[in-house]
Amino acid sequence: MNSVGHEHLQPMKMLSPAHARHTTLLRVLCAAALVLLASSPSEVLAQPGAPPRINCPDHHPVTADLMPTGVGPLVLAQIYCLKLRQTYYPTSAPMISPDGQSIAYYEHDTILRVGRLDGRGGWIDYQADLGVFATFEAAKFRAARAVAWASHSQFLWTATHERERPLGFAVTAMRPVHTLEGGGLQPLPPLQYGAGPLDALLWAGGDGLAVAQFGTRGGYYRPEHQDPAPTFAIVDAAHGRVLDSLLFDAIEPLRARGPGTPPWVLVRNAAATVLPDDKVRVLLSVGQWVVWTQGEAPRVIPDPYPGDVTSRMVLSPDGSRVLVVRLLRTEGGICIRLTGCSPGRPVEGVLAALHDLESGRALWSVRATATNDYEFPTPAISPDGRYALVGLMPQGDRPRIGLLSMTDGAIVQTLPAPVGSTYAMGFARGGRTVWTQGYSVAALYDF
């Protein structure tokens, strides 16, 4: 027994009632502090008070197991249960507004549905028909739709057009619009260019700035028309202005397309951002990577993943790097209509990687082994460029979301992925919050 300090022991003195109560309170506080100090950090963080569950019945099955795993900066803050319309029509991945209060998604590429997470006011349906112009690139199933929240969260930027019924061929070009608070759409000035009609929009995250395609989809019009000079353009849709343009034929892989090949089907992937100087930068995956900045000539760098048409990517806020997430699949899997899909042989490879856009080299990568075939959402990068969100292979039966350091790709913390094949994730409230949404549940995590 350690006897250090015994020489300082004093005889016990009687305490007054007030002093005794004070001493008892101090002992309780000290005991609580000792319990906290004796607990591991993961045990302390794993046992916070239950977060608010808004509009969630007690028996709701998918609100369980939403807590972050391990020690990290994220704490589960709110859970929202949403009343989504039951429909056989496919829906786009959901998007939560920058202020973390509202949600939007496309239904069948014809109806934009918008509502508050807390359910107040119900859903508003906007007849914003994207139809054949829904996506900027060819891989329509996984591609982002031509819709984006305004930075102030008051409305969404999107577009619409008229089309024939019932076959759906376009009668008019795309017309940029934004939603109105109580319903309806506000038309924006028409975007016009000599190369042909407006056929695609990729919103760049600024207030109305976007990358456009003009004269690329004449075969989808009735009457069909030829567009001899298909063109990319950087546009200010809010004011109906074309800020810069780039001919498809200025890019070697697109110029070398075979006769009769629609030019836009060679656009495998694309991502855009607004740089700190308010110029737009876009990365086009067209067999090579084309980095095009407003006011500058395009730069071509080798595609690190030739032949991969399923990856998703997002640019860093400063436009210097690109985060790529690949659809890592098993080999030799089969799908049978009556019995479903069976995975093939496991495949090990790069699941996510951060690339420098000057050279194309990988700054870091996350490798994984696919033992089953999972769908992963588009990654996200925080506004300050410190963190990224990436879908991870599951541990057990449930896929996970990784909060990664943008410095070295280290997994800082993991979150359980929401239930549902069209789940999504992102940052809100200036990067102070992470959101996930799938099926009928949205979860918000605060830093």
Side-chain angles (χ1 to χ4, degrees):
M1 179 175 178
N2 190 347
S3 60
V4 176
H6 280 194
E7 65 273 23
H8 298 295
L9 292 177
Q10 299 293 327
M12 181 178 293
K13 298 179 180 180
M14 297 300 293
L15 301 176
S16 67
H19 194 180
R21 287 194 299 271
H22 181 69
T23 302
T24 302
L25 178 59
L26 285 176
R27 287 174 176 169
V28 170
L29 292 175
C30 290
L34 288 172
V35 169
L36 288 175
L37 291 173
S39 302
S40 68
S42 60
E43 290 173 335
V44 174
L45 292 178
Q47 298 173 357
R53 293 158 44 104
I54 294 90
N55 297 329
C56 297
D58 293 337
H59 62 276
H60 202 296
V62 292
T63 60
D65 301 327
L66 288 173
M67 299 296 293
T69 303
V71 179
L74 294 178
V75 176
L76 181 59
Q78 295 99 22
I79 301 172
Y80 296 91
C81 293
L82 309 169
K83 294 181 179 179
L84 302 181
R85 183 160 59 199
Q86 299 298 315
T87 175
Y88 291 106
Y89 293 127
T91 61
S92 68
M95 303 179 301
I96 288 181
S97 58
D99 63 5
Q101 295 185 12
S102 301
I103 183 172
Y105 67 93
Y106 253 100
E107 185 178 281
H108 201 40
D109 291 335
T110 59
I111 299 173
L112 176 60
R113 305 203 77 210
V114 183
R116 288 182 57 91
L117 288 176
D118 59 17
R120 286 188 292 171
W123 291 92
I124 299 176
D125 289 353
Y126 296 90
Q127 301 295 321
D129 194 340
L130 292 176
V132 296
F133 305 138
T135 60
F136 192 86
E137 60 260 38
K140 187 174 181 180
F141 175 68
R142 298 179 185 91
R145 270 46 184 173
V147 60
W149 280 102
S151 59
H152 51 47
S153 302
Q154 299 303 306
F155 59 73
L156 292 111
W157 304 98
T158 187
T160 189
H161 76 294
E162 297 178 11
R163 59 176 176 160
E164 283 186 344
R165 308 290 179 179
L167 298 180
F169 290 105
V171 176
T172 64
M174 293 180 80
R175 175 72 178 265
V177 298
H178 71 68
T179 58
L180 296 172
E181 184 175 356
L185 300 170
Q186 175 63 54
L188 300 173
L191 278 171
Q192 298 176 334
Y193 195 68
L198 176 65
D199 293 338
L201 282 172
L202 174 67
W203 297 99
D207 288 326
L209 298 177
V211 183
Q213 293 178 24
F214 289 97
T216 59
R217 308 188 187 190
Y220 285 114
Y221 286 85
R222 288 298 180 268
E224 185 173 348
H225 56 81
Q226 299 296 319
D227 298 307
T231 300
F232 295 109
I234 294 172
V235 300
D236 176 358
H239 300 94
R241 297 168 53 207
V242 174
L243 304 176
D244 202 353
S245 62
L246 175 65
L247 285 169
F248 272 54
D249 284 352
I251 303 170
E252 174 57 33
L254 298 182
R255 182 169 64 250
R257 64 184 181 274
T261 302
W264 72 280
V265 302
L266 299 180
V267 181
R268 298 174 178 174
N269 207 338
T273 191
V274 180
L275 302 178
D277 61 3
D278 293 329
K279 292 184 178 180
V280 173
R281 174 170 293 170
V282 58
L283 173 61
L284 303 168
S285 174
V286 293
Q288 294 180 338
W289 278 3
V290 179
V291 183
W292 180 36
T293 304
Q294 180 183 337
E296 301 178 11
R299 292 186 298 105
V300 178
I301 55 180
D303 185 343
Y305 312 103
D308 188 347
V309 298
T310 58
S311 62
R312 307 306 311 151
M313 59 191 190
V314 61
L315 296 183
S316 62
D318 65 0
S320 67
R321 297 160 294 168
V322 59
L323 177 60
V324 180
V325 170
R326 304 178 65 212
L327 191 68
L328 199 59
R329 294 289 202 178
T330 60
E331 183 178 338
I334 59 172
C335 290
I336 301 175
R337 184 173 182 180
L338 296 179
T339 59
C341 296
S342 299
R345 294 180 296 278
V347 169
E348 193 272 345
V350 173
L351 177 66
L354 185 71
H355 289 263
D356 172 66
L357 281 185
E358 285 294 326
S359 62
R361 70 183 181 91
L363 303 175
W364 52 256
S365 63
V366 176
R367 302 185 70 88
T369 299
T371 57
N372 209 326
D373 296 333
Y374 296 97
E375 294 288 338
F376 293 113
T378 298
I381 298 176
S382 61
D384 61 7
R386 293 182 59 196
Y387 295 106
L389 295 171
V390 169
L392 301 176
M393 292 294 173
Q395 288 182 341
D397 296 331
R398 190 167 179 177
R400 301 167 297 146
I401 294 170
L403 179 72
L404 273 58
S405 165
M406 284 283 287
T407 302
D408 56 8
I411 299 175
V412 177
Q413 199 171 15
T414 60
L415 308 173
V419 175
S421 60
T422 56
Y423 79 87
M425 58 200 181
F427 292 88
R429 298 169 180 164
R432 300 188 303 275
T433 296
V434 164
W435 61 265
T436 67
Q437 203 283 333
Y439 187 50
S440 59
V441 172
L444 270 59
Y445 302 83
D446 286 343
F447 281 90

